[in-house]
Short mmCIF file of all heavy atoms in Angstrom, two decimals:
data_model
loop_
_atom_site.label_atom_id
_atom_site.label_comp_id
_atom_site.label_asym_id
_atom_site.label_seq_id
_atom_site.Cartn_x
_atom_site.Cartn_y
_atom_site.Cartn_z
N GLY A 411 202.25 135.13 97.06
CA GLY A 411 202.43 135.91 95.85
C GLY A 411 201.65 135.33 94.69
O GLY A 411 201.95 135.66 93.49
N GLY A 412 200.65 134.45 94.95
CA GLY A 412 199.85 133.90 93.94
C GLY A 412 200.43 132.64 93.33
O GLY A 412 199.91 132.10 92.33
N TYR A 413 201.57 132.18 93.85
CA TYR A 413 202.28 131.02 93.21
C TYR A 413 201.62 129.68 93.54
O TYR A 413 201.65 128.79 92.73
CB TYR A 413 203.72 131.03 93.68
CG TYR A 413 204.59 131.74 92.64
CD1 TYR A 413 204.37 133.10 92.34
CD2 TYR A 413 205.65 131.08 92.06
CE1 TYR A 413 205.22 133.72 91.46
CE2 TYR A 413 206.51 131.72 91.17
CZ TYR A 413 206.29 133.05 90.82
OH TYR A 413 207.06 133.70 89.94
N MET A 414 201.15 129.51 94.72
CA MET A 414 200.59 128.22 95.21
C MET A 414 199.41 128.48 96.17
O MET A 414 199.30 129.50 96.84
CB MET A 414 201.67 127.42 95.90
CG MET A 414 202.88 127.05 95.07
SD MET A 414 204.06 126.02 95.96
CE MET A 414 203.15 124.52 96.02
N SER A 415 198.53 127.46 96.23
CA SER A 415 197.49 127.42 97.23
C SER A 415 198.07 127.24 98.60
O SER A 415 198.71 126.21 98.82
CB SER A 415 196.42 126.34 96.88
OG SER A 415 195.45 126.30 97.82
N PHE A 416 197.83 128.16 99.46
CA PHE A 416 198.42 128.06 100.85
C PHE A 416 197.73 129.15 101.68
O PHE A 416 197.27 130.12 101.15
CB PHE A 416 200.00 128.36 100.80
CG PHE A 416 200.62 128.15 102.05
CD1 PHE A 416 200.80 126.85 102.59
CD2 PHE A 416 201.14 129.20 102.80
CE1 PHE A 416 201.51 126.63 103.79
CE2 PHE A 416 201.82 129.01 103.98
CZ PHE A 416 201.99 127.76 104.51
N ALA A 417 197.63 128.92 102.97
CA ALA A 417 196.98 129.83 103.85
C ALA A 417 197.51 129.58 105.30
O ALA A 417 198.26 128.64 105.54
CB ALA A 417 195.46 129.67 103.82
N ALA A 418 197.04 130.49 106.15
CA ALA A 418 197.45 130.35 107.61
C ALA A 418 196.29 130.84 108.46
O ALA A 418 195.70 131.88 108.14
CB ALA A 418 198.79 131.00 107.86
N THR A 419 196.11 130.20 109.57
CA THR A 419 195.16 130.67 110.62
C THR A 419 196.05 130.96 111.84
O THR A 419 196.72 130.02 112.37
CB THR A 419 194.07 129.66 110.92
OG1 THR A 419 193.38 129.36 109.71
CG2 THR A 419 193.11 130.16 111.97
N LEU A 420 196.00 132.14 112.32
CA LEU A 420 196.81 132.56 113.48
C LEU A 420 195.90 132.84 114.70
O LEU A 420 194.82 133.30 114.48
CB LEU A 420 197.64 133.79 113.20
CG LEU A 420 198.80 133.58 112.25
CD1 LEU A 420 198.30 133.89 110.80
CD2 LEU A 420 199.97 134.46 112.54
N ALA A 421 196.37 132.42 115.87
CA ALA A 421 195.55 132.63 117.06
C ALA A 421 196.42 133.16 118.23
O ALA A 421 197.66 133.14 118.13
CB ALA A 421 194.95 131.28 117.52
N THR A 422 195.76 133.65 119.23
CA THR A 422 196.51 134.17 120.34
C THR A 422 196.97 133.01 121.19
O THR A 422 196.49 131.86 121.08
CB THR A 422 195.60 135.05 121.23
OG1 THR A 422 194.49 134.24 121.72
CG2 THR A 422 195.03 136.26 120.45
N GLU A 423 197.90 133.30 122.06
CA GLU A 423 198.44 132.27 123.01
C GLU A 423 197.31 131.70 123.79
O GLU A 423 197.24 130.50 124.09
CB GLU A 423 199.52 132.83 123.87
CG GLU A 423 200.14 131.91 124.83
CD GLU A 423 201.19 130.97 124.14
OE1 GLU A 423 201.43 131.25 122.91
OE2 GLU A 423 201.64 130.05 124.81
N GLU A 424 196.36 132.61 124.30
CA GLU A 424 195.24 132.15 125.13
C GLU A 424 194.41 131.13 124.42
O GLU A 424 194.04 130.06 124.96
CB GLU A 424 194.41 133.28 125.57
CG GLU A 424 193.22 132.88 126.48
CD GLU A 424 192.17 133.89 126.62
OE1 GLU A 424 192.21 135.02 126.01
OE2 GLU A 424 191.18 133.61 127.33
N VAL A 425 194.04 131.41 123.10
CA VAL A 425 193.18 130.47 122.40
C VAL A 425 193.93 129.11 122.29
O VAL A 425 193.27 128.08 122.49
CB VAL A 425 192.91 131.08 120.98
CG1 VAL A 425 192.28 129.95 120.10
CG2 VAL A 425 191.98 132.25 121.05
N GLY A 426 195.21 129.11 121.98
CA GLY A 426 195.98 127.86 121.88
C GLY A 426 195.98 127.07 123.14
O GLY A 426 195.80 125.84 123.13
N ARG A 427 196.24 127.79 124.23
CA ARG A 427 196.40 127.04 125.50
C ARG A 427 194.99 126.57 126.08
O ARG A 427 194.99 125.51 126.68
CB ARG A 427 197.08 128.00 126.50
CG ARG A 427 198.53 128.21 126.18
CD ARG A 427 199.42 128.72 127.33
NE ARG A 427 200.75 128.83 126.95
CZ ARG A 427 201.64 127.80 126.93
NH1 ARG A 427 201.23 126.59 127.29
NH2 ARG A 427 202.91 128.03 126.54
N VAL A 428 193.97 127.34 125.87
CA VAL A 428 192.72 126.95 126.31
C VAL A 428 192.34 125.65 125.56
O VAL A 428 191.83 124.63 126.14
CB VAL A 428 191.65 128.00 126.19
CG1 VAL A 428 190.25 127.40 126.36
CG2 VAL A 428 191.88 129.09 127.23
N ILE A 429 192.43 125.64 124.28
CA ILE A 429 192.12 124.49 123.42
C ILE A 429 192.89 123.25 123.91
O ILE A 429 192.40 122.12 123.96
CB ILE A 429 192.35 124.74 121.92
CG1 ILE A 429 191.24 125.74 121.40
CG2 ILE A 429 192.39 123.50 121.14
CD1 ILE A 429 191.53 126.18 119.99
N SER A 430 194.17 123.50 124.26
CA SER A 430 195.00 122.38 124.66
C SER A 430 194.87 121.89 126.07
O SER A 430 195.43 120.92 126.48
CB SER A 430 196.50 122.78 124.49
OG SER A 430 196.73 123.16 123.09
N SER A 431 194.06 122.67 126.85
CA SER A 431 193.95 122.35 128.27
C SER A 431 192.82 121.35 128.62
O SER A 431 192.80 120.89 129.78
CB SER A 431 193.74 123.65 129.06
OG SER A 431 192.37 124.18 128.77
N ALA A 432 191.95 121.05 127.72
CA ALA A 432 190.87 120.15 127.99
C ALA A 432 190.71 119.10 126.96
O ALA A 432 191.27 119.26 125.83
CB ALA A 432 189.52 121.01 128.12
N ALA A 433 190.02 118.00 127.27
CA ALA A 433 189.86 116.93 126.28
C ALA A 433 189.29 117.40 125.06
O ALA A 433 188.44 118.27 124.97
CB ALA A 433 188.94 115.86 126.91
N PRO A 434 189.84 116.91 123.84
CA PRO A 434 190.80 115.86 123.73
C PRO A 434 192.21 116.27 123.89
O PRO A 434 193.10 115.55 123.73
CB PRO A 434 190.57 115.40 122.27
CG PRO A 434 190.06 116.65 121.61
CD PRO A 434 189.27 117.41 122.56
N GLY A 435 192.49 117.59 124.28
CA GLY A 435 193.78 118.00 124.53
C GLY A 435 194.62 118.38 123.35
O GLY A 435 195.78 118.85 123.48
N VAL A 436 194.08 118.27 122.17
CA VAL A 436 194.73 118.64 120.87
C VAL A 436 193.73 119.33 120.05
O VAL A 436 192.52 119.19 120.20
CB VAL A 436 195.27 117.40 120.14
CG1 VAL A 436 196.37 116.72 120.99
CG2 VAL A 436 194.17 116.42 119.80
N PHE A 437 194.20 120.11 119.12
CA PHE A 437 193.29 120.75 118.15
C PHE A 437 193.03 119.74 117.02
O PHE A 437 193.91 119.19 116.40
CB PHE A 437 193.93 122.06 117.53
CG PHE A 437 193.02 122.64 116.47
CD1 PHE A 437 191.71 123.00 116.73
CD2 PHE A 437 193.56 123.01 115.22
CE1 PHE A 437 190.92 123.54 115.81
CE2 PHE A 437 192.71 123.57 114.25
CZ PHE A 437 191.44 123.85 114.53
N MET A 438 191.73 119.56 116.71
CA MET A 438 191.34 118.42 115.89
C MET A 438 191.30 118.85 114.47
O MET A 438 190.19 118.99 113.80
CB MET A 438 190.01 117.90 116.32
CG MET A 438 190.01 117.32 117.77
SD MET A 438 191.12 115.96 118.00
CE MET A 438 190.30 114.72 117.01
#
């Protein structure tokens, strides 16, 4: 509502699981 600097990036389950499936195994 314009009160604070804040944001969000949302992804599908597939995007999250693929990123987590290979080295380094975490989102950097």
Side-chain angles (χ1 to χ4, degrees):
Y413 266 58
M414 299 183 70
S415 177
F416 187 70
T419 302
L420 291 91
T422 63
E423 184 76 9
E424 181 195 3
V425 169
R427 291 201 176 276
V428 167
I429 287 174
S430 302
S431 68
V436 297
F437 177 54
M438 299 300 292

